[in-house]
Amino acid sequence: MRYHGTVIRPPSEADSLILQVTYGCSHGACDFCGTYLDKPFRARPFAQIVEDVTGLPAHAKAAVNRVFLADGDAVILPQRRLLEILELLYRELPHVERVSAYATAQALLRKEVGQLAALRDQGLSLLYLGLESGDDGTLAAYNKGVTGSQQIEACDRAHAAGLALSLTTILGMAGERRSLEHARATGAALSRIDPAFIGVLSLMVVDGTPLAHRVRQGVFAVPGPWVMLRELRELIATIEVSGALFRSNHASNYLPVGGRLPEDKGRMLAALDGALKTPQMVSLRPESWRAL
Ligand SMILES: C[S@@+](CC[C@H](N)C(=O)[O-])C[C@H]1O[C@@H](n2cnc3c(N)ncnc32)[C@H](O)[C@@H]1O
Ligand code: SF4
């Protein structure tokens, strides 16, 4: 497998074969995101993808159960190319059970439900999408390029096509003053979408991003850990879903909290209330250990 530039994948794809089908992200303009600053967006030549997959030794092919399509929003590729890639994977890898990818709402909105369903039928099963916030002001402030209702529409299309969704949101994005509004709007959007997986990250300032510039200029201040934990509490309190795995154990977070929603909501809220009441008893992840 050949890789170009920084390649990332969700933590739950640690054991997957990572196959780069695009370089970078077609939106590439979220003010907090430094992930693909090293490479402009382009589709990877299909011949190279074929070479990498067909060139795997037989024992490596047999060992692959899951594939993650990188980089930032593989679903943006034309429909025919995506179908060719899925067909290649299921032909060459005898034990593959799941193919997943990052997707932007913009990429999903460019496809009809029928096209997404065709991808599902060809073996695409799970999409990771950065909701970040349900609050339009916050989304616009970071140039996410979509509104909350467009994100909901995109997720509805994926669900109608039978695709599972894993959504990420970011604590701290709205600053201290609008922290709880961001939490409530995000909880409301998640409730409306009803995804199978919810992952919560905490805002990190990445060098070279417009966010880093704003922080340096003193225009924006990243809220401290206790504001973020109060925000997390409000987010969990707001979420009403039919059944989701909720995780805030990402390395960017100060305190890991997780469980199934709705079953573990009371336990998670009690843990956060306890921490917020007696902060001196809580050991937070040290600032220097936080990472993306
Ligand atoms: C590399 S993006 C790919 C997802 C997809 N492109 C999208 O935006 O829907 C993965 C996720 O990492 C998170 N992320 C990226 N930069 C971050 C930062 N500086 N602080 C916190 N989370 C960040 C966001 O939730 C983002 O959606
Ligand atoms: S968060 Fe996603 S959409 Fe935004 S620039 Fe990063 S990879 Fe692209």
Side-chain angles (χ1 to χ4, degrees):
M1 269 306 132
R2 292 162 291 181
Y3 296 108
H4 169 54
T6 310
V7 180
I8 62 154
R9 43 108 188 123
S12 47
E13 298 288 338
D15 297 328
S16 305
L17 173 72
I18 311 298
L19 177 66
Q20 249 179 330
V21 299
T22 68
Y23 298 131
C25 159
S26 64
H27 178 55
C30 299
D31 286 354
F32 55 80
C33 182
T35 315
Y36 304 114
L37 288 177
D38 61 343
K39 51 186 159 179
F41 173 76
R42 69 190 160 96
R44 188 176 179 208
F46 185 56
Q48 282 185 22
I49 298 173
V50 174
E51 271 170 30
D52 274 8
V53 175
T54 56
L56 284 171
H59 69 273
K61 286 184 179 175
V64 175
N65 300 120
R66 292 177 171 191
V67 180
F68 179 75
L69 304 178
D71 282 333
D73 58 344
V75 175
I76 197 77
L77 285 176
Q79 181 76 359
R80 213 183 61 195
R81 176 55 42 83
L82 285 169
L83 290 169
E84 282 171 339
I85 291 168
L86 290 165
E87 197 270 322
L88 168 76
L89 291 172
Y90 282 89
R91 188 182 69 230
E92 291 292 323
L93 309 172
H95 302 305
V96 72
E97 289 160 2
R98 182 175 102 174
V99 178
S100 50
Y102 284 131
T104 55
Q106 289 92 325
L108 289 172
L109 290 172
R110 285 167 62 146
K111 298 213 188 292
E112 301 299 328
V113 173
Q115 291 181 299
L116 295 171
L119 298 176
R120 171 75 190 90
D121 292 346
Q122 194 79 22
L124 182 68
S125 36
L126 172 65
L127 297 178
Y128 296 86
L129 183 134
L131 176 74
E132 329 302 9
S133 177
D135 177 53
D136 283 349
T138 306
L139 291 169
Y142 285 87
N143 199 29
K144 186 74 195 170
V146 278
T147 61
S149 47
Q150 285 172 314
Q151 306 238 54
I152 291 171
E153 161 68 17
C155 292
D156 280 354
R157 278 193 204 187
H159 276 157
L163 292 160
L165 287 174
S166 177
L167 300 194
T168 49
T169 74
I170 306 180
L171 298 174
M173 281 178 89
E176 181 164 353
R177 196 174 58 78
R178 298 202 60 248
S179 163
L180 296 181
E181 277 155 277
H182 161 56
R184 286 179 204 124
T186 305
L190 288 168
S191 306
R192 169 64 185 73
I193 295 167
D194 200 17
F197 304 95
I198 300 170
V200 177
L201 292 86
S202 298
L203 187 63
M204 300 283 298
V205 178
V206 179
D207 279 349
T209 60
L211 171 65
H213 182 71
R214 289 209 282 273
V215 169
R216 248 195 335 270
Q217 301 289 306
V219 179
F220 179 81
V222 179
W226 296 104
V227 173
M228 296 227 201
L229 288 182
R230 197 187 51 176
E231 189 175 303
L232 177 61
R233 194 219 177 272
E234 189 70 16
L235 175 69
I236 295 173
T238 311
I239 299 175
E240 302 282 348
V241 284
S242 62
L245 185 61
F246 180 95
R247 293 196 197 95
S248 70
N249 59 354
H250 187 269
S252 62
N253 292 321
Y254 289 99
L255 191 69
V257 179
R260 291 223 40 105
L261 286 173
E263 298 89 323
D264 299 326
K265 186 171 183 168
R267 178 181 60 72
M268 290 193 275
L269 290 177
L272 283 163
D273 285 338
L276 288 161
K277 240 181 246 147
T278 52
Q280 69 284 2
M281 305 292 285
V282 181
S283 56
L284 299 177
R285 179 177 276 135
E287 197 62 52
S288 57
W289 291 10
R290 292 178 64 229
L292 274 171

